[in-house]
mmCIF file of all heavy atoms in Angstrom:
data_model
loop_
_atom_site.group_PDB
_atom_site.id
_atom_site.type_symbol
_atom_site.label_atom_id
_atom_site.label_comp_id
_atom_site.label_asym_id
_atom_site.label_seq_id
_atom_site.Cartn_x
_atom_site.Cartn_y
_atom_site.Cartn_z
ATOM 1 N N THR T 202 1.486 -7.436 -6.899
ATOM 2 C CA THR T 202 0.516 -6.400 -7.274
ATOM 3 C C THR T 202 -0.271 -5.939 -6.058
ATOM 4 O O THR T 202 -0.192 -6.555 -4.994
ATOM 5 C CB THR T 202 -0.387 -6.888 -8.436
ATOM 6 O OG1 THR T 202 -1.216 -5.807 -8.878
ATOM 7 C CG2 THR T 202 -1.270 -8.048 -8.023
ATOM 8 N N VAL T 204 -3.592 -5.478 -5.137
ATOM 9 C CA VAL T 204 -4.778 -6.131 -4.579
ATOM 10 C C VAL T 204 -5.536 -5.200 -3.624
ATOM 11 O O VAL T 204 -5.744 -5.510 -2.457
ATOM 12 C CB VAL T 204 -4.444 -7.465 -3.870
ATOM 13 C CG1 VAL T 204 -5.725 -8.293 -3.673
ATOM 14 C CG2 VAL T 204 -3.424 -8.283 -4.629
ATOM 15 N N THR T 205 -5.964 -4.066 -4.142
ATOM 16 C CA THR T 205 -6.876 -3.237 -3.345
ATOM 17 C C THR T 205 -8.156 -4.049 -3.177
ATOM 18 O O THR T 205 -8.605 -4.693 -4.127
ATOM 19 C CB THR T 205 -7.195 -1.940 -4.093
ATOM 20 O OG1 THR T 205 -7.753 -2.271 -5.369
ATOM 21 C CG2 THR T 205 -5.937 -1.110 -4.289
ATOM 22 N N LEU T 206 -8.715 -4.030 -1.969
ATOM 23 C CA LEU T 206 -9.870 -4.910 -1.761
ATOM 24 C C LEU T 206 -11.058 -4.440 -2.610
ATOM 25 O O LEU T 206 -11.818 -5.254 -3.132
ATOM 26 C CB LEU T 206 -10.247 -4.982 -0.278
ATOM 27 C CG LEU T 206 -10.991 -6.245 0.125
ATOM 28 C CD1 LEU T 206 -10.248 -7.505 -0.269
ATOM 29 C CD2 LEU T 206 -11.265 -6.257 1.609
ATOM 30 N N ARG T 290 -12.117 -9.584 -10.083
ATOM 31 C CA ARG T 290 -10.788 -9.839 -9.514
ATOM 32 C C ARG T 290 -9.804 -10.356 -10.568
ATOM 33 O O ARG T 290 -8.630 -10.023 -10.548
ATOM 34 C CB ARG T 290 -10.917 -10.806 -8.322
ATOM 35 C CG ARG T 290 -9.676 -10.957 -7.494
ATOM 36 C CD ARG T 290 -9.044 -9.641 -7.046
ATOM 37 N NE ARG T 290 -9.842 -8.855 -6.136
ATOM 38 C CZ ARG T 290 -9.455 -7.646 -5.683
ATOM 39 N NH1 ARG T 290 -8.297 -7.120 -6.047
ATOM 40 N NH2 ARG T 290 -10.241 -6.976 -4.881
ATOM 41 N N LEU T 291 -10.301 -11.138 -11.492
ATOM 42 C CA LEU T 291 -9.415 -11.621 -12.559
ATOM 43 C C LEU T 291 -8.899 -10.431 -13.371
ATOM 44 O O LEU T 291 -7.711 -10.330 -13.690
ATOM 45 C CB LEU T 291 -10.175 -12.603 -13.461
ATOM 46 C CG LEU T 291 -9.427 -12.988 -14.743
ATOM 47 C CD1 LEU T 291 -8.184 -13.811 -14.417
ATOM 48 C CD2 LEU T 291 -10.330 -13.778 -15.687
ATOM 49 N N PHE T 294 -6.112 -8.613 -11.612
ATOM 50 C CA PHE T 294 -4.794 -9.249 -11.690
ATOM 51 C C PHE T 294 -4.114 -9.023 -13.039
ATOM 52 O O PHE T 294 -2.917 -8.847 -13.103
ATOM 53 C CB PHE T 294 -4.897 -10.754 -11.398
ATOM 54 C CG PHE T 294 -4.861 -11.061 -9.930
ATOM 55 C CD1 PHE T 294 -6.001 -11.463 -9.259
ATOM 56 C CD2 PHE T 294 -3.676 -10.922 -9.208
ATOM 57 C CE1 PHE T 294 -5.972 -11.730 -7.905
ATOM 58 C CE2 PHE T 294 -3.644 -11.185 -7.844
ATOM 59 C CZ PHE T 294 -4.799 -11.588 -7.194
ATOM 60 N N ASN T 713 -1.558 -17.379 -11.887
ATOM 61 C CA ASN T 713 -2.219 -17.398 -10.574
ATOM 62 C C ASN T 713 -3.087 -16.160 -10.364
ATOM 63 O O ASN T 713 -3.057 -15.517 -9.320
ATOM 64 C CB ASN T 713 -1.195 -17.540 -9.440
ATOM 65 C CG ASN T 713 -0.198 -16.393 -9.396
ATOM 66 O OD1 ASN T 713 0.007 -15.703 -10.393
ATOM 67 N ND2 ASN T 713 0.415 -16.186 -8.245
ATOM 68 N N ALA T 714 -3.887 -15.850 -11.400
ATOM 69 C CA ALA T 714 -4.669 -14.616 -11.372
ATOM 70 C C ALA T 714 -5.983 -14.765 -10.612
ATOM 71 O O ALA T 714 -7.053 -14.447 -11.122
ATOM 72 C CB ALA T 714 -4.924 -14.147 -12.797
ATOM 73 N N SER T 715 -5.943 -15.244 -9.389
ATOM 74 C CA SER T 715 -7.153 -15.229 -8.568
ATOM 75 C C SER T 715 -6.735 -15.113 -7.116
ATOM 76 O O SER T 715 -5.601 -15.445 -6.756
ATOM 77 C CB SER T 715 -7.966 -16.504 -8.762
ATOM 78 O OG SER T 715 -7.493 -17.522 -7.901
ATOM 79 N N LEU T 716 -7.657 -14.652 -6.299
ATOM 80 C CA LEU T 716 -7.309 -14.504 -4.881
ATOM 81 C C LEU T 716 -7.114 -15.849 -4.193
ATOM 82 O O LEU T 716 -6.520 -15.918 -3.130
ATOM 83 C CB LEU T 716 -8.379 -13.698 -4.146
ATOM 84 C CG LEU T 716 -8.135 -12.199 -4.020
ATOM 85 C CD1 LEU T 716 -9.126 -11.593 -3.046
ATOM 86 C CD2 LEU T 716 -6.713 -11.891 -3.564
ATOM 87 N N ALA T 717 -7.609 -16.908 -4.818
ATOM 88 C CA ALA T 717 -7.386 -18.227 -4.233
ATOM 89 C C ALA T 717 -5.941 -18.686 -4.481
ATOM 90 O O ALA T 717 -5.381 -19.452 -3.704
ATOM 91 C CB ALA T 717 -8.375 -19.231 -4.812
ATOM 92 N N ASP T 718 -5.340 -18.206 -5.561
ATOM 93 C CA ASP T 718 -3.997 -18.673 -5.939
ATOM 94 C C ASP T 718 -2.895 -17.678 -5.605
ATOM 95 O O ASP T 718 -1.746 -18.061 -5.418
ATOM 96 C CB ASP T 718 -3.956 -18.956 -7.448
ATOM 97 C CG ASP T 718 -4.934 -20.050 -7.835
ATOM 98 O OD1 ASP T 718 -4.915 -21.099 -7.169
ATOM 99 O OD2 ASP T 718 -5.728 -19.842 -8.761
ATOM 100 N N TYR T 719 -3.232 -16.401 -5.586
ATOM 101 C CA TYR T 719 -2.247 -15.363 -5.267
ATOM 102 C C TYR T 719 -2.369 -15.115 -3.770
ATOM 103 O O TYR T 719 -3.454 -14.836 -3.263
ATOM 104 C CB TYR T 719 -2.573 -14.101 -6.058
ATOM 105 C CG TYR T 719 -1.639 -12.945 -5.817
ATOM 106 C CD1 TYR T 719 -0.564 -12.688 -6.670
ATOM 107 C CD2 TYR T 719 -1.830 -12.079 -4.733
ATOM 108 C CE1 TYR T 719 0.281 -11.605 -6.454
ATOM 109 C CE2 TYR T 719 -0.990 -11.002 -4.515
ATOM 110 C CZ TYR T 719 0.062 -10.768 -5.378
ATOM 111 O OH TYR T 719 0.902 -9.701 -5.161
ATOM 112 N N LEU T 720 -1.272 -15.226 -3.044
ATOM 113 C CA LEU T 720 -1.365 -15.244 -1.589
ATOM 114 C C LEU T 720 -1.230 -13.851 -0.981
ATOM 115 O O LEU T 720 -0.165 -13.261 -1.002
ATOM 116 C CB LEU T 720 -0.275 -16.159 -1.017
ATOM 117 C CG LEU T 720 -0.268 -17.585 -1.578
ATOM 118 C CD1 LEU T 720 0.907 -18.376 -0.992
ATOM 119 C CD2 LEU T 720 -1.584 -18.291 -1.294
ATOM 120 N N VAL T 721 -2.332 -13.368 -0.445
ATOM 121 C CA VAL T 721 -2.332 -12.111 0.305
ATOM 122 C C VAL T 721 -2.248 -12.488 1.788
ATOM 123 O O VAL T 721 -2.916 -13.421 2.212
ATOM 124 C CB VAL T 721 -3.634 -11.331 0.010
ATOM 125 C CG1 VAL T 721 -3.832 -10.190 0.977
ATOM 126 C CG2 VAL T 721 -3.630 -10.821 -1.428
ATOM 127 N N LEU T 723 -2.782 -13.202 5.561
ATOM 128 C CA LEU T 723 -3.976 -13.317 6.397
ATOM 129 C C LEU T 723 -3.642 -12.965 7.832
ATOM 130 O O LEU T 723 -2.474 -12.996 8.235
ATOM 131 C CB LEU T 723 -4.489 -14.761 6.371
ATOM 132 C CG LEU T 723 -4.796 -15.351 5.003
ATOM 133 C CD1 LEU T 723 -5.161 -16.825 5.130
ATOM 134 C CD2 LEU T 723 -5.929 -14.563 4.369
ATOM 135 N N GLY R 42 -15.347 -8.254 -2.979
ATOM 136 C CA GLY R 42 -13.925 -8.100 -3.244
ATOM 137 C C GLY R 42 -13.350 -9.151 -4.165
ATOM 138 O O GLY R 42 -12.283 -8.962 -4.724
ATOM 139 N N CYS R 43 -14.026 -10.299 -4.293
ATOM 140 C CA CYS R 43 -13.436 -11.347 -5.139
ATOM 141 C C CYS R 43 -14.475 -12.180 -5.871
ATOM 142 O O CYS R 43 -14.144 -12.833 -6.855
ATOM 143 C CB CYS R 43 -12.548 -12.261 -4.296
ATOM 144 S SG CYS R 43 -13.466 -13.284 -3.120
ATOM 145 N N GLU R 44 -15.700 -12.213 -5.400
ATOM 146 C CA GLU R 44 -16.771 -13.042 -5.994
ATOM 147 C C GLU R 44 -16.377 -14.504 -6.064
ATOM 148 O O GLU R 44 -16.782 -15.231 -6.958
ATOM 149 C CB GLU R 44 -17.125 -12.550 -7.413
ATOM 150 C CG GLU R 44 -17.657 -11.144 -7.434
ATOM 151 C CD GLU R 44 -17.861 -10.656 -8.851
ATOM 152 O OE1 GLU R 44 -16.880 -10.201 -9.472
ATOM 153 O OE2 GLU R 44 -18.992 -10.750 -9.322
ATOM 154 N N GLN R 45 -15.545 -14.910 -5.131
ATOM 155 C CA GLN R 45 -14.980 -16.253 -5.207
ATOM 156 C C GLN R 45 -14.968 -16.917 -3.851
ATOM 157 O O GLN R 45 -14.382 -17.968 -3.682
ATOM 158 C CB GLN R 45 -13.530 -16.106 -5.690
ATOM 159 C CG GLN R 45 -13.167 -16.997 -6.812
ATOM 160 C CD GLN R 45 -11.673 -17.076 -6.986
ATOM 161 O OE1 GLN R 45 -10.935 -16.175 -6.579
ATOM 162 N NE2 GLN R 45 -11.217 -18.139 -7.579
ATOM 163 N N GLY R 46 -15.532 -16.244 -2.878
ATOM 164 C CA GLY R 46 -15.570 -16.850 -1.555
ATOM 165 C C GLY R 46 -14.272 -16.773 -0.781
ATOM 166 O O GLY R 46 -14.110 -17.443 0.238
ATOM 167 N N VAL R 47 -13.330 -15.949 -1.221
ATOM 168 C CA VAL R 47 -12.019 -15.939 -0.574
ATOM 169 C C VAL R 47 -11.844 -14.765 0.402
ATOM 170 O O VAL R 47 -11.309 -14.932 1.489
ATOM 171 C CB VAL R 47 -10.881 -15.888 -1.633
ATOM 172 C CG1 VAL R 47 -9.525 -15.948 -0.942
ATOM 173 C CG2 VAL R 47 -11.024 -17.033 -2.610
ATOM 174 N N CYS R 48 -12.300 -13.568 0.023
ATOM 175 C CA CYS R 48 -11.866 -12.369 0.751
ATOM 176 C C CYS R 48 -12.725 -12.037 1.971
ATOM 177 O O CYS R 48 -12.287 -11.332 2.869
ATOM 178 C CB CYS R 48 -11.803 -11.175 -0.183
ATOM 179 S SG CYS R 48 -13.428 -10.517 -0.636
ATOM 180 N N GLY R 49 -13.965 -12.484 1.987
ATOM 181 C CA GLY R 49 -14.811 -12.226 3.157
ATOM 182 C C GLY R 49 -15.489 -10.872 3.190
ATOM 183 O O GLY R 49 -16.228 -10.575 4.139
ATOM 184 N N TYR R 136 -9.995 -10.923 4.462
ATOM 185 C CA TYR R 136 -8.808 -10.178 4.065
ATOM 186 C C TYR R 136 -8.938 -8.720 4.467
ATOM 187 O O TYR R 136 -9.989 -8.116 4.307
ATOM 188 C CB TYR R 136 -8.654 -10.186 2.538
ATOM 189 C CG TYR R 136 -8.131 -11.464 1.955
ATOM 190 C CD1 TYR R 136 -8.313 -12.678 2.594
ATOM 191 C CD2 TYR R 136 -7.459 -11.442 0.743
ATOM 192 C CE1 TYR R 136 -7.832 -13.847 2.031
ATOM 193 C CE2 TYR R 136 -6.974 -12.614 0.174
ATOM 194 C CZ TYR R 136 -7.163 -13.812 0.816
ATOM 195 O OH TYR R 136 -6.691 -14.968 0.260
ATOM 196 N N ARG R 138 -6.415 -5.485 3.471
ATOM 197 C CA ARG R 138 -5.180 -5.124 2.789
ATOM 198 C C ARG R 138 -4.556 -3.876 3.411
ATOM 199 O O ARG R 138 -3.426 -3.547 3.098
ATOM 200 C CB ARG R 138 -5.513 -4.873 1.315
ATOM 201 C CG ARG R 138 -4.312 -4.735 0.411
ATOM 202 C CD ARG R 138 -3.393 -5.940 0.458
ATOM 203 N NE ARG R 138 -2.583 -6.030 -0.747
ATOM 204 C CZ ARG R 138 -1.502 -6.802 -0.850
ATOM 205 N NH1 ARG R 138 -1.114 -7.560 0.165
ATOM 206 N NH2 ARG R 138 -0.823 -6.840 -1.963
#
Side-chain angles (χ1 to χ4, degrees):
Chain T
T202 187
V204 196
T205 57
L206 205 54
R290 191 51 65 183
L291 170 67
F294 275 107
N713 61 339
S715 86
L716 266 191
D718 298 311
Y719 180 96
L720 305 177
V721 167
L723 304 174
Chain R
C43 69
E44 298 174 277
Q45 229 195 336
V47 183
C48 74
Y136 283 26
R138 191 57 157 165

